[in-house]
Amino acid sequence: MESNLKFMEQLKEVFYAAKNIPKEELLFTYNGVIYPTSTCDVDTFKAIETFEAREEDLMLVAYPKCGSNWTSLLLFSLLRAAYNKEPSPNFPVLEFKVPNKFEKLKIEPSPRFLGTHLKYDNIPQSFFDKKVKMLVVFRNPKDTAVSLFHFYNNNPVLPAYNSWDEFFSDFMAGKVVWGSYFDHAVAWNKHLDDDTILLTIFEDMKEGKLGTGRITSHKLKAKKWMQSLTNV
């Protein structure tokens, strides 16, 4: 609870600061992808490239507005029950700029819980070398688009759209924060069968299912993941 409250307080500070940023400076582009200036910067992206993962790490991956906040609460509960460990008060999203974030992560005891909105190709190599478990959440693209549209128009860190048609055109072209939903989905879907990656669907999780809920091998993988988290 304390960690959630601190995270919300930090978000409020970010939103307040964004009100003083000119509209044309709310976004920037890095390696061809758009990001919000208030939460990301070039220095953080460069620091990600040399970030050292650990075998015990657990990372949540989701395109924006695909259920990452809700899923993180579920994983926090699992970590608390399995390891008697409170999650970090600063939910460490890899690409978010937070003072001394990587220095703090270096000394944080395992298991560490991390998050990101990045595509597969932008994940640091150390995550694959260390065989870090990654839970990748997908969501119906229509619901994702609608949610992201409202997020743009109700969030001071992002420029508002004048109409749904204008936003939808940018969404389909990948000209929104964190780039194309479809490129993100295709890149991660290619690794559906990787042992360290578990793909799940937001709508399925709301029905109490983890994993795609459609293929037997993924049901077994989900069961193994739960056992690995709770077998202490």
Side-chain angles (χ1 to χ4, degrees):
M1 179 63 72
E2 180 182 352
S3 61
N4 294 337
L5 290 174
K6 188 166 184 178
F7 180 65
M8 294 306 296
E9 289 174 1
Q10 291 176 333
L11 280 181
K12 288 180 181 178
E13 291 176 2
V14 170
F15 290 166
Y16 181 79
K19 294 180 180 179
N20 298 318
I21 300 176
K23 182 178 179 180
E24 63 274 13
E25 297 178 12
L26 287 173
L27 304 174
F28 75 101
T29 300
Y30 183 77
N31 286 343
V33 179
I34 299 170
Y35 298 99
T37 304
S38 293
T39 56
C40 304
D41 63 13
V42 173
D43 289 342
T44 301
F45 280 111
K46 290 182 177 179
I48 289 174
E49 296 173 4
T50 56
F51 178 72
E52 287 297 324
R54 301 176 191 162
E55 186 176 356
E56 303 85 4
D57 289 341
L58 175 64
M59 187 159 73
L60 169 63
V61 181
Y63 185 82
K65 311 313 294 177
C66 283
S68 55
N69 289 337
W70 188 74
T71 308
S72 69
L73 294 177
L74 296 179
L75 292 179
F76 282 161
S77 297
L78 280 172
L79 286 175
R80 189 179 295 112
Y83 297 98
N84 193 29
K85 176 188 176 182
E86 285 296 321
S88 170
N90 303 311
F91 176 42
V93 177
L94 284 182
E95 61 270 28
F96 282 10
K97 57 179 181 181
V98 176
N100 304 314
K101 177 181 67 178
F102 293 111
E103 288 77 5
K104 292 177 181 177
L105 284 172
K106 283 182 181 179
I107 62 175
E108 182 177 333
S110 297
R112 299 179 302 186
F113 176 40
L114 308 168
T116 187
H117 297 309
L118 297 176
K119 289 196 307 181
Y120 180 91
D121 295 339
N122 298 128
I123 300 298
Q125 182 59 40
S126 66
F127 279 78
F128 305 113
D129 294 340
K130 296 292 184 180
K131 301 184 184 302
V132 172
K133 286 186 173 66
M134 300 181 218
L135 176 62
V136 183
V137 183
F138 286 165
R139 186 183 185 187
N140 180 308
K142 178 179 125 179
D143 292 340
T144 301
V146 171
S147 183
L148 189 58
F149 170 68
H150 290 297
F151 190 64
Y152 259 88
N153 284 359
N154 293 287
N155 189 334
V157 307
L158 299 173
Y161 277 90
N162 294 320
S163 68
W164 162 256
D165 289 344
E166 181 187 358
F167 169 81
F168 185 69
S169 177
D170 280 352
F171 180 80
M172 294 302 293
K175 296 179 180 179
V176 291
V177 287
W178 277 274
S180 168
Y181 166 94
F182 304 100
D183 288 350
H184 177 96
V186 168
W188 282 104
N189 192 60
K190 289 179 181 178
H191 300 276
L192 182 69
D193 296 318
D194 290 8
D195 290 337
T196 58
I197 295 175
L198 177 62
L199 272 65
T200 191
I201 298 173
F202 179 67
E203 288 79 7
D204 282 353
M205 287 196 297
K206 291 201 297 185
E207 297 177 6
K209 304 171 185 176
L210 184 62
T212 61
R214 294 177 173 81
I215 304 174
T216 300
S217 63
H218 290 284
K219 290 181 180 179
L220 294 173
K221 186 190 291 187
K223 184 177 181 180
K224 289 180 180 178
W225 272 50
M226 292 300 97
Q227 289 173 340
S228 70
L229 285 175
T230 57
N231 185 20
V232 296

